[in-house]
Amino acid sequence: MTKEYDAIIIGAGSVGVPTAHFLSEKGLRVLVLDELASSGQGQNKAAIGGARATHSDPAKIQICLQSLDIFSSWKEKTGTDIGWKEGGYCFPIYRENEENVLKSILPIQKKFGLDIDWYGPDEIKKVVPGINEKGLIGGTYSPHDGQVSPLLASESFTNEAVKLGAEFHYLEKVRDLITEGGKDNLLVKGVKTNKGEYRADAIVNAAGADASAICKMAGLNIPVNPDSHEAGISAPIKPFLEPLVVDIRPGPKGKTANFYFGQNLEGQIIFCYTPIKPIYGTDRRSTSEFMPIMARRMVDLIPRLKNLTIRRLWRGLYPMTPDGVAVVGKPSDVEGFYLGIGMCGQGFMMGPGVGLNLANLITKGKPLIKKDVFDYLSPDRDFYGGKKEALK
Ligand SMILES: Cc1cc2nc3c(=O)[nH]c(=O)nc-3n(C[C@H](O)[C@H](O)[C@H](O)COP(=O)(O)OP(=O)(O)OC[C@H]3O[C@@H](n4cnc5c(N)ncnc54)[C@H](O)[C@@H]3O)c2cc1C
């Protein structure tokens, strides 16, 4: 027998869990399905927990400002600590071209509500104690960005959603969608899993690195390709570093683009780099080259980090889109189907804001932020900017 809900969310991850919470808050009967054993066990737990509204496009700035509001007030609202630390984000700069790029986006960042500014080298040295001074020109600092524990957050968002009546089914994989109509007027009415069938008015695809497969079930070709990234965490040291630090210079030997790290509430240094060439695929084995490259870069930037003890390394998947922008909203050709996918390297920080906007879209027919800003994330856009042929 099929069971009826108001909304079904495929994926209990960075996006699906807060979406379930906000839909339940609006009084909807919500079912969340995940093939893994509990919430947050997909890419959510691979994130290092950086949460910033420091972006260059208005949609991400505004959605992440909403996320920051939710993260920073969560303990007050629910009584649960999710490891929120308001230490800001700092982008220290050593090269003029990068200074020009960061300064050029400050007006748009400020216009859309971000508290951020350019600081001279002396101020950056105060924000990042022990930073290498040689060639330091200055940098940007946004004091209200921060960090959160992805595991604590997904557990707490789940618990709060359950209190509001949401059901979570784990170890249950969505194998197909129940649909009606044809190619140009498809209506998604439910899901088929390895355990049963469920129907709802709204089906939300929040399936992370596997989101393209779910889109195909609705006849949609939306490119989300897993791209693997490594990260690590140290044993705790005495707190000295408030912000998450992003060094946007490429590293030596053509291996790395930017790298970023911060110190969490427990005093652990948590770190990650972006390979210069994306590593597409689902390989999650740690490599032998990650830690030597990472250690060199971190110690060059902050020499006092040289005595860190590394506790654990891991590798996870960014759900990447060709244009590096998330896909959020309702595809115009399909009814009853909503997307919160293609989060790239920012799904944890975007998750609560995306959930809030999807909940509004589903219940009120429009997002919370202005529609023309939100449309930047539209599932209907050209993902290749007209360059698909050139990319082949
Ligand atoms: C090393 C690393 C560091 C990162 N650091 C940050 C950071 O600091 N800040 C940040 O914002 N982001 C960061 N990210 C990116 C972030 O982890 C992702 O963008 C985010 O977790 C994606 O969220 P999601 O909800 O789309 O996917 P997920 O959290 O993976 O959730 C998707 C869920 O869907 C389930 N699922 C898939 N298919 C099915 C199916 N057919 N049936 C049932 N369930 C299904 C999966 O099991 C999974 O639980 C980092 C990523 C990596 C790898």
Side-chain angles (χ1 to χ4, degrees):
M1 210 179 97
T2 52
K3 217 174 154 189
E4 307 275 342
Y5 294 87
D6 296 317
I8 295 172
I9 298 169
I10 307 168
S14 305
V15 173
V17 173
T19 305
H21 173 75
F22 292 118
L23 281 170
S24 305
E25 229 176 30
K26 288 187 179 290
L28 270 62
R29 284 167 304 150
V30 177
L31 170 66
V32 186
L33 296 160
D34 203 293
E35 61 182 317
L36 299 176
S38 62
S39 293
Q41 296 301 313
Q43 303 320 312
N44 178 79
K45 73 174 179 187
I48 70 164
R52 64 183 154 93
T54 303
H55 299 285
S56 53
D57 73 79
K60 281 204 258 180
I61 294 173
Q62 294 206 321
I63 283 178
C64 287
L65 282 172
Q66 292 173 328
S67 291
L68 287 171
D69 247 10
I70 295 160
F71 285 138
S72 60
S73 58
W74 192 255
K75 192 171 174 186
E76 204 181 321
K77 183 176 168 185
T78 65
T80 312
D81 190 353
I82 54 170
W84 165 249
K85 177 186 166 194
E86 189 183 67
Y89 256 72
C90 180
F91 288 64
I93 293 298
Y94 290 84
R95 306 189 313 180
E96 212 180 294
N97 57 334
E98 284 146 4
E99 173 183 2
N100 295 337
V101 171
L102 290 198
K103 282 184 169 171
S104 73
I105 54 179
L106 284 176
I108 190 129
Q109 291 175 323
K110 289 182 179 189
K111 182 177 164 204
F112 282 89
L114 186 62
D115 180 4
I116 186 166
D117 237 315
W118 176 265
Y119 290 81
D122 289 340
E123 288 156 305
I124 294 296
K125 279 191 267 172
K126 281 188 203 137
V127 176
V128 186
I131 191 168
N132 192 337
E133 298 176 16
K134 197 167 164 229
L136 180 67
I137 306 175
T140 60
Y141 178 50
S142 45
H144 304 303
D145 290 330
Q147 291 174 62
V148 184
S149 158
L151 279 173
L152 291 178
S154 75
E155 188 192 11
S156 183
F157 276 109
T158 300
N159 291 341
E160 294 303 316
V162 168
K163 281 187 205 163
L164 294 166
E167 286 179 36
F168 284 72
H169 292 192
Y170 300 116
L171 300 173
E172 187 155 356
K173 184 178 169 92
V174 172
R175 291 193 167 146
D176 208 351
L177 299 177
I178 301 168
T179 59
E180 262 178 32
K183 194 171 173 294
D184 298 325
N185 62 345
L186 199 77
L187 171 62
V188 179
K189 302 201 74 173
V191 300
K192 293 180 189 173
T193 74
N194 54 322
K195 295 187 180 163
E197 291 188 10
Y198 309 91
R199 285 175 188 263
D201 295 331
I203 310 294
V204 181
N205 179 359
D210 297 316
S212 277
I214 304 288
C215 286
K216 283 208 178 81
M217 296 170 192
L220 294 167
N221 190 12
I222 299 204
V224 177
N225 298 305
D227 164 20
S228 67
H229 286 245
E230 291 184 81
I233 193 163
S234 76
I237 56 170
K238 197 170 160 191
F240 80 101
L241 185 62
E242 279 299 314
L244 248 144
V245 179
V246 186
D247 184 347
I248 60 176
R249 290 173 294 178
K253 297 187 187 157
K255 289 276 184 190
T256 56
N258 61 40
F259 78 104
Y260 49 102
F261 62 99
Q263 187 170 26
N264 66 16
L265 265 192
E266 279 78 40
Q268 295 166 290
I269 303 288
I270 185 161
F271 49 85
C272 193
Y273 71 57
T274 307
I276 213 147
K277 270 201 202 145
I279 306 170
Y280 289 113
T282 54
D283 194 346
R284 295 189 66 176
R285 292 169 299 174
S286 290
T287 66
S288 56
E289 71 176 16
F290 172 71
M291 203 52 235
I293 293 174
M294 191 72 224
R296 183 76 269 150
R297 290 206 70 176
M298 282 207 300
V299 174
D300 282 348
L301 190 70
I302 305 188
R304 68 191 288 182
L305 290 176
K306 67 175 189 255
N307 292 323
L308 276 187
T309 300
I310 303 307
R311 185 170 270 177
R312 190 166 68 85
L313 305 177
W314 65 91
R315 194 169 175 204
L317 310 172
Y318 281 16
M320 283 305 292
T321 55
D323 55 10
V325 177
V327 186
V328 187
K330 193 187 89 56
S332 56
D333 290 349
V334 185
E335 293 307 311
F337 193 51
Y338 297 83
L339 307 179
I341 62 173
M343 295 291 140
C344 306
Q346 293 144 5
F348 178 67
M349 61 183 85
M350 289 186 71
V354 166
L356 202 58
N357 280 279
L358 280 178
N360 220 63
L361 186 65
I362 290 167
T363 55
K364 304 244 165 67
K366 56 178 190 194
L368 265 186
I369 63 170
K370 278 195 176 154
K371 192 176 170 315
D372 59 334
V373 173
F374 188 72
D375 280 349
Y376 182 70
L377 311 173
S378 169
D380 296 336
R381 70 180 188 263
D382 173 4
F383 292 95
Y384 301 93
K387 293 185 196 137
K388 190 168 184 182
E389 288 309 310
L391 284 172
K392 274 184 182 167

